[in-house]
Amino acid sequence: MSQNKTVPTGASVADFLATVEPERKAVEAQELDALFRQTTDFTPQMWGPSIIGYGRYHYRHATGREGDFLATGFSPRKACHSIYIMPGYQDYGAILARLGKHKLGRSCLYVNKLADIDLEVLAELIRTGLKDLNVIWPVQPS
C-alpha cells in the first residue's frame, strides 16, 4: 500500500517563510500564518517542502489505507496561495459565497492575493473545516 507523499518534515516554518518570493507573497504568507495560528491555536509544522500545516488527523479508509495528514494549512505558491481545508469544500457554499475572489480544488482553495478575500470569512471557513473534520477523524495538535 502506498504511503502519503506529503509528510511532516521537521523543517523550520520560520526558515521556510523567510524564503517565500516574491515579496508580496512573503508578506501575505506571514499574515496567513498569523491568521491560522490565531484561528486554530495550533503550532504550525512543515508538511513536505512547501506546505505549512496546523493540526493533524489520522485517517483509516474502508480500503485499509490509513495515515496522518495536516488538518488545515496553506502553501504560499508564486502564482497563488493554496489553502487547505479538510474534509473539502462540498458543504461550504454559503461561506465561500462571502469569501471573495477564489478558485476551488477538491480540498484546496486558491487565492491570488489576500486583498481579494475577507480574512474574517477565511477564519470562519478554517474553524468550520476543523469542526467538520473532527467529526470524521479527531483533530490533534501538530
Side-chain angles (χ1 to χ4, degrees), residues 6 16 20-22 24-26 28-29 32 47-52 74-84 108 110-112:
T6 305
F16 170 71
V20 173
E21 293 182 348
R24 179 180 60 82
K25 287 284 188 229
E28 290 181 345
L32 282 172
W47 287 74
S50 63
I51 299 174
I52 303 171
F74 74 97
S75 181
R77 311 233 189 248
K78 283 188 181 185
C80 61
H81 296 289
S82 297
I83 300 171
Y84 302 95
C108 192
Y110 301 103
V111 174
N112 288 333

Side-chain angles (χ1 to χ4, degrees), residues 87-131:
Y89 290 97
Q90 64 275 20
D91 299 321
Y92 305 138
I95 298 172
L96 290 170
R98 296 182 286 115
L99 181 64
K101 188 177 175 184
H102 66 278
K103 292 182 182 175
L104 288 180
R106 188 168 146 207
S107 291
C108 192
L109 177 76
Y110 301 103
V111 174
N112 288 333
K113 57 185 184 261
L114 295 187
D116 289 343
I117 63 169
D118 184 325
L119 294 178
E120 289 181 25
V121 175
L122 178 58
E124 178 185 349
L125 183 61
I126 293 165
R127 283 189 299 273
T128 302
L130 286 173
K131 184 182 105 200

Side-chain angles (χ1 to χ4, degrees), residues 1 59-66 137:
M1 193 163 307
Y59 63 86
R60 181 172 299 139
H61 295 292
T63 61
R65 181 181 168 105
E66 67 179 289
W137 294 295

